[in-house]
C-alpha cells in the first residue's frame, strides 16, 4: 500500500515552497469570511497559520495566548472581531500584503 499524506500536510508543504500559493491561501480565507462562510475561513486561516508563522509566534505578535488562538480558529471557535482583525492585520503585514475591500459591479 502506498504512503499518502494528509491534505493538511500537502497544503503545509505547498505553502512552504510556494509564496504565491501562501498569499492566495490568505486572500481566500479572508474573502470566504467576508462572504459569510466563517467556518471555512477559520479552517483555511488555521492551515495558513500552521504552515507559516505558527500559533506560538502569532500569540507573541498579537498578545493573545496561543491556546486561545488555537481554540479561536477551531471548529467551535467564535473569535471576537478585535482578535480576528489583529490576527489578520499581523498576517497581512508579515506576508507583505495589503488586502482591500472593493465594490464590484453587478450585471
Amino acid at each position: 500500500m502506498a504512503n499518502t499524506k494528509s491534505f493538511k500536510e500537502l497544503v503545509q508543504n505547498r505553502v512552504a515552497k510556494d509564496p504565491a500559493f501562501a498569499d492566495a491561501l490568505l486572500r481566500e480565507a479572508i474573502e470566504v469570511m467576508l462572504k459569510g462562510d466563517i467556518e471555512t475561513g477559520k479552517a483555511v486561516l488555521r492551515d495558513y497559520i500552521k504552515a507559516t508563522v505558527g500559533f506560538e509566534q502569532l500569540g507573541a505578535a498579537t498578545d493573545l495566548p496561543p491556546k486561545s488562538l488555537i481554540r479561536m480558529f477551531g471548529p467551535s471557535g467564535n473569535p471576537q472581531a478585535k482578535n480576528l482583525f489583529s490576527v489578520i492585520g499581523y498576517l497581512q503585514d508579515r506576508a507583505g500584503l495589503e488586502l482591500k475591500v472593493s465594490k464590484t459591479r453587478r450585471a
Side-chain angles (χ1 to χ4, degrees):
M1 181 178 232
N3 288 337
T4 59
K5 289 186 177 183
S6 75
F7 180 73
K8 290 181 188 266
E9 286 178 285
L10 291 172
V11 169
Q12 289 179 355
N13 288 336
R14 177 88 186 265
V15 166
K17 295 177 184 175
D18 186 352
F21 179 79
D23 291 350
L25 194 63
L26 178 57
R27 278 192 203 101
E28 184 65 21
I30 295 168
E31 286 178 12
V32 166
M33 283 195 277
L34 289 172
K35 291 179 180 176
D37 189 353
I38 304 302
E39 296 310 311
T40 300
K42 287 189 317 179
V44 175
L45 267 180
R46 182 176 56 246
D47 291 343
Y48 177 85
I49 292 164
K50 286 181 181 179
T52 56
V53 64
F55 285 103
E56 291 291 327
Q57 186 177 338
L58 181 60
T62 59
D63 293 325
L64 296 167
K67 288 186 179 192
S68 293
L69 289 167
I70 292 167
R71 282 191 302 273
M72 185 168 100
F73 290 103
S76 61
N78 188 16
Q80 293 180 359
K82 176 183 174 184
N83 296 337
L84 182 60
F85 288 131
S86 176
V87 167
I88 290 171
Y90 172 75
L91 294 175
Q92 281 188 125
D93 288 346
R94 186 178 181 282
L97 294 175
E98 183 178 341
L99 303 176
K100 296 179 181 182
V101 177
S102 64
K103 184 176 179 178
T104 59
R105 293 185 180 192
R106 294 186 182 215

